[in-house]
Amino acid sequence: DAGVIQSPRHEVTEMGQEVTLRCKPISGHDYLFWYRQTMMRGLELLIYFNNNVPIDDSGMPEDRFSAKMPNASFSTLKIQPSEPRDSAVYFCASSLYGTSRYEQYFGPGTRLTVT
Amino acid sequence: SQQGEEDPQALSIQEGENATMNCSYKTSINNLQWYRQNSGRGLVHLILIRSNEREKHSGRLRVTLDTSKKSSSLLITASRAADTASYFCATPDTGRRALTFGSGTRLQVQP
């Protein structure tokens, strides 16, 4: 298996622009998680899905953030409009609850810089 | 939600030495996990220890869990330069299928 795939790996954008991050989970996994990592706040859970349905979005910082999972093999995290404080590394992770319980498999991350 | 806090925040040792990292958490758990993150990469699952286990081994890794003290430790024996990374403990959140990660320990192994 190719593992969790994220794109783009790096994104540099100007304040006010829309940013879309993409994730392809491991085939067959039923949970998908979006995290944000910064030096100041560490690793924060933003939202997670189960069988394509958003379960908990309490970590989404503001209405500027939205996430979708239209099918089992694709998810997006959108920031509109972006702000400099959104600069961070965004990770997508997936897991299969039935066999591996809570073990999560992480993608390589998208490093977002908002100028 | 529960939160693991690692100690120390940073650790620098020589190749061949052992490295010990500690994690404390706040509420009851059914398992605790350790992850590694190399610079510029995603987290990689290392080992999971269940609440009814006190010690678990995987290669050069040894994990202990003390539920009475709400703490865990990760020991890496005979460290190598390739072990240089950040190490995080993670605990399941109560009532939801998510993990809360600690702040991590940055390990530097000098060759």
Side-chain angles (χ1 to χ4, degrees), chain A residues 9 31 33 35 37 43 45 48 56 58 91 97 102-104 106-108, chain B residues 30-31 33 35 37 40-43 45 88 92 96-99 101:
Chain A
R9 292 295 310 277
Y31 280 84
F33 306 83
Y35 292 90
Q37 186 177 38
L43 197 63
L45 176 67
Y48 75 95
D56 189 331
S58 59
F91 289 102
Y97 177 67
Y102 296 100
E103 178 181 339
Q104 296 185 12
F106 281 74
Chain B
N30 55 28
N31 71 75
Q33 303 176 40
Y35 288 76
Q37 183 180 31
R41 303 287 185 90
L43 279 72
H45 181 267
F88 297 84
R96 62 176 193 167
R97 305 297 183 206
L99 295 173
F101 288 83

PDB file of all heavy atoms in Angstrom, chain A residues 9 31 33 35 37 43 45 48 56 58 91 97 102-104 106-108, chain B residues 30-31 33 35 37 40-43 45 88 92 96-99 101:
ATOM      1  N   ARG A   9       2.663  19.094  -1.094  1.00  0.00           N
ATOM      2  CA  ARG A   9       3.574  18.952   0.049  1.00  0.00           C
ATOM      3  C   ARG A   9       3.934  20.318   0.636  1.00  0.00           C
ATOM      4  O   ARG A   9       4.153  20.441   1.828  1.00  0.00           O
ATOM      5  CB  ARG A   9       4.837  18.228  -0.384  1.00  0.00           C
ATOM      6  CG  ARG A   9       4.620  16.771  -0.758  1.00  0.00           C
ATOM      7  CD  ARG A   9       4.183  15.935   0.459  1.00  0.00           C
ATOM      8  NE  ARG A   9       5.056  16.136   1.609  1.00  0.00           N
ATOM      9  CZ  ARG A   9       6.197  15.508   1.790  1.00  0.00           C
ATOM     10  NH1 ARG A   9       6.621  14.630   0.902  1.00  0.00           N
ATOM     11  NH2 ARG A   9       6.921  15.743   2.885  1.00  0.00           N
ATOM     12  N   TYR A  31     -11.568   5.499   9.248  1.00  0.00           N
ATOM     13  CA  TYR A  31     -11.461   6.772   9.950  1.00  0.00           C
ATOM     14  C   TYR A  31     -10.423   7.647   9.264  1.00  0.00           C
ATOM     15  O   TYR A  31      -9.359   7.167   8.851  1.00  0.00           O
ATOM     16  CB  TYR A  31     -11.046   6.561  11.412  1.00  0.00           C
ATOM     17  CG  TYR A  31     -12.182   6.150  12.321  1.00  0.00           C
ATOM     18  CD1 TYR A  31     -12.565   4.809  12.425  1.00  0.00           C
ATOM     19  CD2 TYR A  31     -12.889   7.097  13.059  1.00  0.00           C
ATOM     20  CE1 TYR A  31     -13.618   4.441  13.241  1.00  0.00           C
ATOM     21  CE2 TYR A  31     -13.943   6.726  13.880  1.00  0.00           C
ATOM     22  CZ  TYR A  31     -14.301   5.401  13.960  1.00  0.00           C
ATOM     23  OH  TYR A  31     -15.348   5.024  14.769  1.00  0.00           O
ATOM     24  N   PHE A  33      -8.503  11.567   9.820  1.00  0.00           N
ATOM     25  CA  PHE A  33      -8.263  12.658  10.760  1.00  0.00           C
ATOM     26  C   PHE A  33      -7.457  13.760  10.075  1.00  0.00           C
ATOM     27  O   PHE A  33      -6.547  13.479   9.298  1.00  0.00           O
ATOM     28  CB  PHE A  33      -7.456  12.161  11.974  1.00  0.00           C
ATOM     29  CG  PHE A  33      -8.061  10.970  12.679  1.00  0.00           C
ATOM     30  CD1 PHE A  33      -7.852   9.686  12.210  1.00  0.00           C
ATOM     31  CD2 PHE A  33      -8.832  11.148  13.818  1.00  0.00           C
ATOM     32  CE1 PHE A  33      -8.407   8.582  12.854  1.00  0.00           C
ATOM     33  CE2 PHE A  33      -9.389  10.055  14.474  1.00  0.00           C
ATOM     34  CZ  PHE A  33      -9.186   8.781  13.987  1.00  0.00           C
ATOM     35  N   TYR A  35      -5.055  16.996  11.203  1.00  0.00           N
ATOM     36  CA  TYR A  35      -4.333  17.627  12.301  1.00  0.00           C
ATOM     37  C   TYR A  35      -3.583  18.849  11.784  1.00  0.00           C
ATOM     38  O   TYR A  35      -3.251  18.942  10.610  1.00  0.00           O
ATOM     39  CB  TYR A  35      -3.279  16.677  12.897  1.00  0.00           C
ATOM     40  CG  TYR A  35      -3.799  15.471  13.622  1.00  0.00           C
ATOM     41  CD1 TYR A  35      -4.020  14.278  12.944  1.00  0.00           C
ATOM     42  CD2 TYR A  35      -4.041  15.512  14.989  1.00  0.00           C
ATOM     43  CE1 TYR A  35      -4.466  13.149  13.619  1.00  0.00           C
ATOM     44  CE2 TYR A  35      -4.493  14.388  15.675  1.00  0.00           C
ATOM     45  CZ  TYR A  35      -4.701  13.217  14.976  1.00  0.00           C
ATOM     46  OH  TYR A  35      -5.148  12.099  15.643  1.00  0.00           O
ATOM     47  N   GLN A  37      -0.043  21.106  12.990  1.00  0.00           N
ATOM     48  CA  GLN A  37       1.095  21.096  13.897  1.00  0.00           C
ATOM     49  C   GLN A  37       1.847  22.410  13.811  1.00  0.00           C
ATOM     50  O   GLN A  37       2.247  22.831  12.726  1.00  0.00           O
ATOM     51  CB  GLN A  37       2.053  19.936  13.578  1.00  0.00           C
ATOM     52  CG  GLN A  37       3.187  19.781  14.597  1.00  0.00           C
ATOM     53  CD  GLN A  37       4.076  18.592  14.295  1.00  0.00           C
ATOM     54  OE1 GLN A  37       4.376  18.285  13.139  1.00  0.00           O
ATOM     55  NE2 GLN A  37       4.484  17.861  15.342  1.00  0.00           N
ATOM     56  N   LEU A  43       0.552  19.388  18.180  1.00  0.00           N
ATOM     57  CA  LEU A  43      -0.297  18.678  17.225  1.00  0.00           C
ATOM     58  C   LEU A  43      -1.746  18.779  17.695  1.00  0.00           C
ATOM     59  O   LEU A  43      -2.094  18.284  18.765  1.00  0.00           O
ATOM     60  CB  LEU A  43       0.142  17.215  17.165  1.00  0.00           C
ATOM     61  CG  LEU A  43      -0.303  16.371  15.983  1.00  0.00           C
ATOM     62  CD1 LEU A  43       0.266  16.916  14.687  1.00  0.00           C
ATOM     63  CD2 LEU A  43       0.128  14.930  16.180  1.00  0.00           C
ATOM     64  N   LEU A  45      -5.878  18.194  16.814  1.00  0.00           N
ATOM     65  CA  LEU A  45      -6.885  17.552  15.979  1.00  0.00           C
ATOM     66  C   LEU A  45      -7.896  18.600  15.515  1.00  0.00           C
ATOM     67  O   LEU A  45      -8.465  19.323  16.330  1.00  0.00           O
ATOM     68  CB  LEU A  45      -7.597  16.457  16.766  1.00  0.00           C
ATOM     69  CG  LEU A  45      -8.742  15.755  16.053  1.00  0.00           C
ATOM     70  CD1 LEU A  45      -8.231  14.935  14.868  1.00  0.00           C
ATOM     71  CD2 LEU A  45      -9.519  14.865  17.018  1.00  0.00           C
ATOM     72  N   TYR A  48     -12.470  14.866  12.435  1.00  0.00           N
ATOM     73  CA  TYR A  48     -12.296  13.515  11.958  1.00  0.00           C
ATOM     74  C   TYR A  48     -13.595  12.951  11.402  1.00  0.00           C
ATOM     75  O   TYR A  48     -14.689  13.398  11.774  1.00  0.00           O
ATOM     76  CB  TYR A  48     -11.668  12.596  13.001  1.00  0.00           C
ATOM     77  CG  TYR A  48     -12.527  12.123  14.136  1.00  0.00           C
ATOM     78  CD1 TYR A  48     -13.185  10.895  14.099  1.00  0.00           C
ATOM     79  CD2 TYR A  48     -12.644  12.876  15.306  1.00  0.00           C
ATOM     80  CE1 TYR A  48     -13.942  10.435  15.167  1.00  0.00           C
ATOM     81  CE2 TYR A  48     -13.388  12.431  16.373  1.00  0.00           C
ATOM     82  CZ  TYR A  48     -14.024  11.216  16.304  1.00  0.00           C
ATOM     83  OH  TYR A  48     -14.769  10.762  17.381  1.00  0.00           O
ATOM     84  N   ASP A  56     -16.599  14.778  14.480  1.00  0.00           N
ATOM     85  CA  ASP A  56     -16.257  15.793  15.470  1.00  0.00           C
ATOM     86  C   ASP A  56     -15.422  16.873  14.804  1.00  0.00           C
ATOM     87  O   ASP A  56     -14.312  16.599  14.355  1.00  0.00           O
ATOM     88  CB  ASP A  56     -15.478  15.158  16.622  1.00  0.00           C
ATOM     89  CG  ASP A  56     -15.278  16.114  17.794  1.00  0.00           C
ATOM     90  OD1 ASP A  56     -15.225  17.341  17.584  1.00  0.00           O
ATOM     91  OD2 ASP A  56     -15.160  15.628  18.935  1.00  0.00           O
ATOM     92  N   SER A  58     -14.965  19.883  16.404  1.00  0.00           N
ATOM     93  CA  SER A  58     -14.787  20.874  17.468  1.00  0.00           C
ATOM     94  C   SER A  58     -13.397  21.513  17.454  1.00  0.00           C
ATOM     95  O   SER A  58     -13.205  22.571  18.039  1.00  0.00           O
ATOM     96  CB  SER A  58     -15.049  20.239  18.840  1.00  0.00           C
ATOM     97  OG  SER A  58     -14.170  19.162  19.073  1.00  0.00           O
ATOM     98  N   PHE A  91      -1.513  17.698   8.721  1.00  0.00           N
ATOM     99  CA  PHE A  91      -1.392  16.258   8.505  1.00  0.00           C
ATOM    100  C   PHE A  91      -2.771  15.625   8.357  1.00  0.00           C
ATOM    101  O   PHE A  91      -3.733  16.003   9.027  1.00  0.00           O
ATOM    102  CB  PHE A  91      -0.690  15.588   9.683  1.00  0.00           C
ATOM    103  CG  PHE A  91       0.767  15.887   9.787  1.00  0.00           C
ATOM    104  CD1 PHE A  91       1.235  16.816  10.710  1.00  0.00           C
ATOM    105  CD2 PHE A  91       1.677  15.236   8.973  1.00  0.00           C
ATOM    106  CE1 PHE A  91       2.585  17.094  10.813  1.00  0.00           C
ATOM    107  CE2 PHE A  91       3.029  15.506   9.068  1.00  0.00           C
ATOM    108  CZ  PHE A  91       3.490  16.439   9.986  1.00  0.00           C
ATOM    109  N   TYR A  97     -10.512   0.947  12.521  1.00  0.00           N
ATOM    110  CA  TYR A  97     -10.831   0.668  13.916  1.00  0.00           C
ATOM    111  C   TYR A  97     -10.926  -0.810  14.211  1.00  0.00           C
ATOM    112  O   TYR A  97     -10.473  -1.283  15.224  1.00  0.00           O
ATOM    113  CB  TYR A  97     -12.140   1.367  14.306  1.00  0.00           C
ATOM    114  CG  TYR A  97     -12.548   1.045  15.724  1.00  0.00           C
ATOM    115  CD1 TYR A  97     -11.797   1.483  16.805  1.00  0.00           C
ATOM    116  CD2 TYR A  97     -13.675   0.266  15.980  1.00  0.00           C
ATOM    117  CE1 TYR A  97     -12.152   1.169  18.094  1.00  0.00           C
ATOM    118  CE2 TYR A  97     -14.037  -0.045  17.270  1.00  0.00           C
ATOM    119  CZ  TYR A  97     -13.286   0.403  18.326  1.00  0.00           C
ATOM    120  OH  TYR A  97     -13.640   0.086  19.596  1.00  0.00           O
ATOM    121  N   TYR A 102      -6.817   2.030  17.827  1.00  0.00           N
ATOM    122  CA  TYR A 102      -6.595   3.455  17.651  1.00  0.00           C
ATOM    123  C   TYR A 102      -5.322   3.808  16.894  1.00  0.00           C
ATOM    124  O   TYR A 102      -5.013   4.970  16.746  1.00  0.00           O
ATOM    125  CB  TYR A 102      -6.540   4.137  19.016  1.00  0.00           C
ATOM    126  CG  TYR A 102      -7.836   4.055  19.786  1.00  0.00           C
ATOM    127  CD1 TYR A 102      -8.005   3.121  20.798  1.00  0.00           C
ATOM    128  CD2 TYR A 102      -8.895   4.907  19.489  1.00  0.00           C
ATOM    129  CE1 TYR A 102      -9.188   3.043  21.499  1.00  0.00           C
ATOM    130  CE2 TYR A 102     -10.081   4.834  20.194  1.00  0.00           C
ATOM    131  CZ  TYR A 102     -10.226   3.902  21.203  1.00  0.00           C
ATOM    132  OH  TYR A 102     -11.393   3.826  21.898  1.00  0.00           O
ATOM    133  N   GLU A 103      -4.589   2.836  16.387  1.00  0.00           N
ATOM    134  CA  GLU A 103      -3.350   3.149  15.678  1.00  0.00           C
ATOM    135  C   GLU A 103      -3.659   3.969  14.440  1.00  0.00           C
ATOM    136  O   GLU A 103      -4.540   3.605  13.647  1.00  0.00           O
ATOM    137  CB  GLU A 103      -2.631   1.866  15.286  1.00  0.00           C
ATOM    138  CG  GLU A 103      -1.363   2.094  14.497  1.00  0.00           C
ATOM    139  CD  GLU A 103      -0.703   0.779  14.127  1.00  0.00           C
ATOM    140  OE1 GLU A 103      -1.000  -0.232  14.807  1.00  0.00           O
ATOM    141  OE2 GLU A 103       0.087   0.762  13.175  1.00  0.00           O
ATOM    142  N   GLN A 104      -2.941   5.053  14.271  1.00  0.00           N
ATOM    143  CA  GLN A 104      -3.176   5.935  13.129  1.00  0.00           C
ATOM    144  C   GLN A 104      -1.962   5.959  12.214  1.00  0.00           C
ATOM    145  O   GLN A 104      -0.830   5.893  12.669  1.00  0.00           O
ATOM    146  CB  GLN A 104      -3.498   7.354  13.618  1.00  0.00           C
ATOM    147  CG  GLN A 104      -4.796   7.416  14.419  1.00  0.00           C
ATOM    148  CD  GLN A 104      -5.179   8.825  14.813  1.00  0.00           C
ATOM    149  OE1 GLN A 104      -4.614   9.810  14.330  1.00  0.00           O
ATOM    150  NE2 GLN A 104      -6.166   8.941  15.690  1.00  0.00           N
ATOM    151  N   PHE A 106      -0.108   8.225   9.397  1.00  0.00           N
ATOM    152  CA  PHE A 106      -0.025   9.622   8.993  1.00  0.00           C
ATOM    153  C   PHE A 106       0.537   9.779   7.584  1.00  0.00           C
ATOM    154  O   PHE A 106       1.414   9.023   7.153  1.00  0.00           O
ATOM    155  CB  PHE A 106       0.878  10.407   9.957  1.00  0.00           C
ATOM    156  CG  PHE A 106       0.204  10.791  11.240  1.00  0.00           C
ATOM    157  CD1 PHE A 106      -0.046   9.838  12.205  1.00  0.00           C
ATOM    158  CD2 PHE A 106      -0.185  12.096  11.475  1.00  0.00           C
ATOM    159  CE1 PHE A 106      -0.680  10.182  13.392  1.00  0.00           C
ATOM    160  CE2 PHE A 106      -0.805  12.458  12.657  1.00  0.00           C
ATOM    161  CZ  PHE A 106      -1.062  11.495  13.617  1.00  0.00           C
ATOM    162  N   GLY A 107       0.052  10.808   6.900  1.00  0.00           N
ATOM    163  CA  GLY A 107       0.646  11.228   5.652  1.00  0.00           C
ATOM    164  C   GLY A 107       1.880  12.086   5.922  1.00  0.00           C
ATOM    165  O   GLY A 107       2.189  12.395   7.064  1.00  0.00           O
ATOM    166  N   PRO A 108       2.568  12.500   4.852  1.00  0.00           N
ATOM    167  CA  PRO A 108       3.802  13.278   5.010  1.00  0.00           C
ATOM    168  C   PRO A 108       3.561  14.735   5.388  1.00  0.00           C
ATOM    169  O   PRO A 108       4.495  15.432   5.766  1.00  0.00           O
ATOM    170  CB  PRO A 108       4.450  13.187   3.626  1.00  0.00           C
ATOM    171  CG  PRO A 108       3.299  13.016   2.707  1.00  0.00           C
ATOM    172  CD  PRO A 108       2.293  12.191   3.442  1.00  0.00           C
TER     173      PRO A 108
ATOM    174  N   ASN B  30      -7.511   3.094  28.064  1.00  0.00           N
ATOM    175  CA  ASN B  30      -7.450   1.655  27.801  1.00  0.00           C
ATOM    176  C   ASN B  30      -6.205   1.274  27.015  1.00  0.00           C
ATOM    177  O   ASN B  30      -5.902   0.092  26.875  1.00  0.00           O
ATOM    178  CB  ASN B  30      -8.717   1.152  27.108  1.00  0.00           C
ATOM    179  CG  ASN B  30      -9.012   1.908  25.840  1.00  0.00           C
ATOM    180  OD1 ASN B  30      -8.110   2.424  25.194  1.00  0.00           O
ATOM    181  ND2 ASN B  30     -10.280   1.979  25.481  1.00  0.00           N
ATOM    182  N   ASN B  31      -5.513   2.288  26.487  1.00  0.00           N
ATOM    183  CA  ASN B  31      -4.216   2.014  25.872  1.00  0.00           C
ATOM    184  C   ASN B  31      -3.436   3.313  25.750  1.00  0.00           C
ATOM    185  O   ASN B  31      -3.993   4.411  25.879  1.00  0.00           O
ATOM    186  CB  ASN B  31      -4.360   1.343  24.489  1.00  0.00           C
ATOM    187  CG  ASN B  31      -4.892   2.287  23.429  1.00  0.00           C
ATOM    188  OD1 ASN B  31      -4.169   3.147  22.938  1.00  0.00           O
ATOM    189  ND2 ASN B  31      -6.166   2.128  23.071  1.00  0.00           N
ATOM    190  N   GLN B  33      -0.125   4.957  23.289  1.00  0.00           N
ATOM    191  CA  GLN B  33       0.703   4.695  22.114  1.00  0.00           C
ATOM    192  C   GLN B  33       1.889   5.646  22.070  1.00  0.00           C
ATOM    193  O   GLN B  33       1.811   6.772  22.589  1.00  0.00           O
ATOM    194  CB  GLN B  33      -0.134   4.876  20.838  1.00  0.00           C
ATOM    195  CG  GLN B  33      -1.364   4.010  20.802  1.00  0.00           C
ATOM    196  CD  GLN B  33      -2.225   4.265  19.593  1.00  0.00           C
ATOM    197  OE1 GLN B  33      -1.740   4.468  18.480  1.00  0.00           O
ATOM    198  NE2 GLN B  33      -3.536   4.259  19.790  1.00  0.00           N
ATOM    199  N   TYR B  35       4.619   7.373  19.229  1.00  0.00           N
ATOM    200  CA  TYR B  35       4.875   7.665  17.823  1.00  0.00           C
ATOM    201  C   TYR B  35       6.222   8.367  17.689  1.00  0.00           C
ATOM    202  O   TYR B  35       6.676   9.059  18.615  1.00  0.00           O
ATOM    203  CB  TYR B  35       3.787   8.584  17.246  1.00  0.00           C
ATOM    204  CG  TYR B  35       2.444   7.933  17.025  1.00  0.00           C
ATOM    205  CD1 TYR B  35       1.582   7.669  18.092  1.00  0.00           C
ATOM    206  CD2 TYR B  35       2.013   7.585  15.748  1.00  0.00           C
ATOM    207  CE1 TYR B  35       0.357   7.069  17.890  1.00  0.00           C
ATOM    208  CE2 TYR B  35       0.775   6.995  15.531  1.00  0.00           C
ATOM    209  CZ  TYR B  35      -0.039   6.741  16.611  1.00  0.00           C
ATOM    210  OH  TYR B  35      -1.271   6.153  16.405  1.00  0.00           O
ATOM    211  N   GLN B  37       8.460  10.987  15.025  1.00  0.00           N
ATOM    212  CA  GLN B  37       8.376  11.906  13.898  1.00  0.00           C
ATOM    213  C   GLN B  37       9.776  12.364  13.530  1.00  0.00           C
ATOM    214  O   GLN B  37      10.429  13.077  14.291  1.00  0.00           O
ATOM    215  CB  GLN B  37       7.504  13.127  14.220  1.00  0.00           C
ATOM    216  CG  GLN B  37       7.333  14.072  13.042  1.00  0.00           C
ATOM    217  CD  GLN B  37       6.463  15.273  13.364  1.00  0.00           C
ATOM    218  OE1 GLN B  37       6.429  15.752  14.482  1.00  0.00           O
ATOM    219  NE2 GLN B  37       5.743  15.772  12.368  1.00  0.00           N
ATOM    220  N   GLY B  40      10.481  16.891   9.263  1.00  0.00           N
ATOM    221  CA  GLY B  40       9.834  17.080   7.968  1.00  0.00           C
ATOM    222  C   GLY B  40       8.950  15.932   7.525  1.00  0.00           C
ATOM    223  O   GLY B  40       8.522  15.900   6.358  1.00  0.00           O
ATOM    224  N   ARG B  41       8.656  15.021   8.427  1.00  0.00           N
ATOM    225  CA  ARG B  41       7.843  13.854   8.063  1.00  0.00           C
ATOM    226  C   ARG B  41       6.598  13.749   8.947  1.00  0.00           C
ATOM    227  O   ARG B  41       6.453  14.476   9.929  1.00  0.00           O
ATOM    228  CB  ARG B  41       8.664  12.574   8.227  1.00  0.00           C
ATOM    229  CG  ARG B  41       9.956  12.539   7.432  1.00  0.00           C
ATOM    230  CD  ARG B  41       9.706  12.353   5.961  1.00  0.00           C
ATOM    231  NE  ARG B  41      10.925  12.207   5.191  1.00  0.00           N
ATOM    232  CZ  ARG B  41      11.514  11.058   4.937  1.00  0.00           C
ATOM    233  NH1 ARG B  41      10.986   9.931   5.398  1.00  0.00           N
ATOM    234  NH2 ARG B  41      12.619  11.017   4.232  1.00  0.00           N
ATOM    235  N   GLY B  42       5.731  12.820   8.579  1.00  0.00           N
ATOM    236  CA  GLY B  42       4.571  12.530   9.418  1.00  0.00           C
ATOM    237  C   GLY B  42       4.947  11.619  10.574  1.00  0.00           C
ATOM    238  O   GLY B  42       6.058  11.107  10.647  1.00  0.00           O
ATOM    239  N   LEU B  43       4.001  11.439  11.483  1.00  0.00           N
ATOM    240  CA  LEU B  43       4.240  10.567  12.632  1.00  0.00           C
ATOM    241  C   LEU B  43       4.126   9.103  12.225  1.00  0.00           C
ATOM    242  O   LEU B  43       3.291   8.746  11.391  1.00  0.00           O
ATOM    243  CB  LEU B  43       3.233  10.872  13.746  1.00  0.00           C
ATOM    244  CG  LEU B  43       3.533  12.077  14.632  1.00  0.00           C
ATOM    245  CD1 LEU B  43       3.315  13.381  13.889  1.00  0.00           C
ATOM    246  CD2 LEU B  43       2.688  12.021  15.901  1.00  0.00           C
ATOM    247  N   HIS B  45       3.691   5.232  13.906  1.00  0.00           N
ATOM    248  CA  HIS B  45       3.346   4.465  15.096  1.00  0.00           C
ATOM    249  C   HIS B  45       4.482   3.514  15.451  1.00  0.00           C
ATOM    250  O   HIS B  45       5.006   2.795  14.599  1.00  0.00           O
ATOM    251  CB  HIS B  45       2.061   3.677  14.838  1.00  0.00           C
ATOM    252  CG  HIS B  45       1.599   2.875  16.002  1.00  0.00           C
ATOM    253  ND1 HIS B  45       1.944   1.550  16.187  1.00  0.00           N
ATOM    254  CD2 HIS B  45       0.825   3.202  17.058  1.00  0.00           C
ATOM    255  CE1 HIS B  45       1.393   1.109  17.289  1.00  0.00           C
ATOM    256  NE2 HIS B  45       0.709   2.086  17.845  1.00  0.00           N
ATOM    257  N   PHE B  88       6.416  11.087  20.545  1.00  0.00           N
ATOM    258  CA  PHE B  88       5.162  11.545  21.136  1.00  0.00           C
ATOM    259  C   PHE B  88       4.417  10.369  21.759  1.00  0.00           C
ATOM    260  O   PHE B  88       4.353   9.281  21.166  1.00  0.00           O
ATOM    261  CB  PHE B  88       4.246  12.160  20.070  1.00  0.00           C
ATOM    262  CG  PHE B  88       4.778  13.390  19.408  1.00  0.00           C
ATOM    263  CD1 PHE B  88       5.647  13.295  18.328  1.00  0.00           C
ATOM    264  CD2 PHE B  88       4.405  14.645  19.861  1.00  0.00           C
ATOM    265  CE1 PHE B  88       6.140  14.443  17.709  1.00  0.00           C
ATOM    266  CE2 PHE B  88       4.888  15.791  19.242  1.00  0.00           C
ATOM    267  CZ  PHE B  88       5.757  15.686  18.172  1.00  0.00           C
ATOM    268  N   PRO B  92      -6.106   7.724  23.912  1.00  0.00           N
ATOM    269  CA  PRO B  92      -7.428   7.836  23.312  1.00  0.00           C
ATOM    270  C   PRO B  92      -8.285   8.831  24.088  1.00  0.00           C
ATOM    271  O   PRO B  92      -8.260   8.875  25.313  1.00  0.00           O
ATOM    272  CB  PRO B  92      -8.000   6.429  23.432  1.00  0.00           C
ATOM    273  CG  PRO B  92      -6.864   5.551  23.775  1.00  0.00           C
ATOM    274  CD  PRO B  92      -5.873   6.392  24.489  1.00  0.00           C
ATOM    275  N   ARG B  96     -14.701   9.264  22.144  1.00  0.00           N
ATOM    276  CA  ARG B  96     -14.566   9.467  20.708  1.00  0.00           C
ATOM    277  C   ARG B  96     -13.319   8.745  20.200  1.00  0.00           C
ATOM    278  O   ARG B  96     -12.386   8.496  20.948  1.00  0.00           O
ATOM    279  CB  ARG B  96     -14.511  10.950  20.355  1.00  0.00           C
ATOM    280  CG  ARG B  96     -13.336  11.723  20.928  1.00  0.00           C
ATOM    281  CD  ARG B  96     -13.349  13.162  20.424  1.00  0.00           C
ATOM    282  NE  ARG B  96     -12.096  13.843  20.704  1.00  0.00           N
ATOM    283  CZ  ARG B  96     -11.757  15.000  20.167  1.00  0.00           C
ATOM    284  NH1 ARG B  96     -12.571  15.625  19.341  1.00  0.00           N
ATOM    285  NH2 ARG B  96     -10.597  15.561  20.449  1.00  0.00           N
ATOM    286  N   ARG B  97     -13.352   8.413  18.917  1.00  0.00           N
ATOM    287  CA  ARG B  97     -12.292   7.609  18.307  1.00  0.00           C
ATOM    288  C   ARG B  97     -11.164   8.513  17.852  1.00  0.00           C
ATOM    289  O   ARG B  97     -10.834   8.572  16.684  1.00  0.00           O
ATOM    290  CB  ARG B  97     -12.848   6.835  17.112  1.00  0.00           C
ATOM    291  CG  ARG B  97     -14.037   5.973  17.432  1.00  0.00           C
ATOM    292  CD  ARG B  97     -13.694   4.905  18.417  1.00  0.00           C
ATOM    293  NE  ARG B  97     -14.847   4.023  18.660  1.00  0.00           N
ATOM    294  CZ  ARG B  97     -15.034   3.339  19.769  1.00  0.00           C
ATOM    295  NH1 ARG B  97     -14.175   3.426  20.753  1.00  0.00           N
ATOM    296  NH2 ARG B  97     -16.083   2.558  19.890  1.00  0.00           N
ATOM    297  N   ALA B  98     -10.598   9.246  18.746  1.00  0.00           N
ATOM    298  CA  ALA B  98      -9.509  10.149  18.397  1.00  0.00           C
ATOM    299  C   ALA B  98      -8.424  10.025  19.454  1.00  0.00           C
ATOM    300  O   ALA B  98      -8.647   9.485  20.536  1.00  0.00           O
ATOM    301  CB  ALA B  98     -10.013  11.589  18.315  1.00  0.00           C
ATOM    302  N   LEU B  99      -7.251  10.519  19.116  1.00  0.00           N
ATOM    303  CA  LEU B  99      -6.117  10.506  20.023  1.00  0.00           C
ATOM    304  C   LEU B  99      -5.745  11.927  20.382  1.00  0.00           C
ATOM    305  O   LEU B  99      -5.903  12.844  19.577  1.00  0.00           O
ATOM    306  CB  LEU B  99      -4.905   9.846  19.369  1.00  0.00           C
ATOM    307  CG  LEU B  99      -4.999   8.365  19.014  1.00  0.00           C
ATOM    308  CD1 LEU B  99      -3.779   7.930  18.221  1.00  0.00           C
ATOM    309  CD2 LEU B  99      -5.140   7.529  20.272  1.00  0.00           C
ATOM    310  N   PHE B 101      -2.353  13.898  21.453  1.00  0.00           N
ATOM    311  CA  PHE B 101      -0.903  13.755  21.462  1.00  0.00           C
ATOM    312  C   PHE B 101      -0.269  14.718  22.448  1.00  0.00           C
ATOM    313  O   PHE B 101      -0.732  15.841  22.622  1.00  0.00           O
ATOM    314  CB  PHE B 101      -0.342  14.018  20.061  1.00  0.00           C
ATOM    315  CG  PHE B 101      -0.642  12.933  19.077  1.00  0.00           C
ATOM    316  CD1 PHE B 101      -1.863  12.905  18.415  1.00  0.00           C
ATOM    317  CD2 PHE B 101       0.276  11.931  18.821  1.00  0.00           C
ATOM    318  CE1 PHE B 101      -2.158  11.896  17.512  1.00  0.00           C
ATOM    319  CE2 PHE B 101      -0.010  10.920  17.917  1.00  0.00           C
ATOM    320  CZ  PHE B 101      -1.226  10.906  17.270  1.00  0.00           C
TER     321      PHE B 101
END
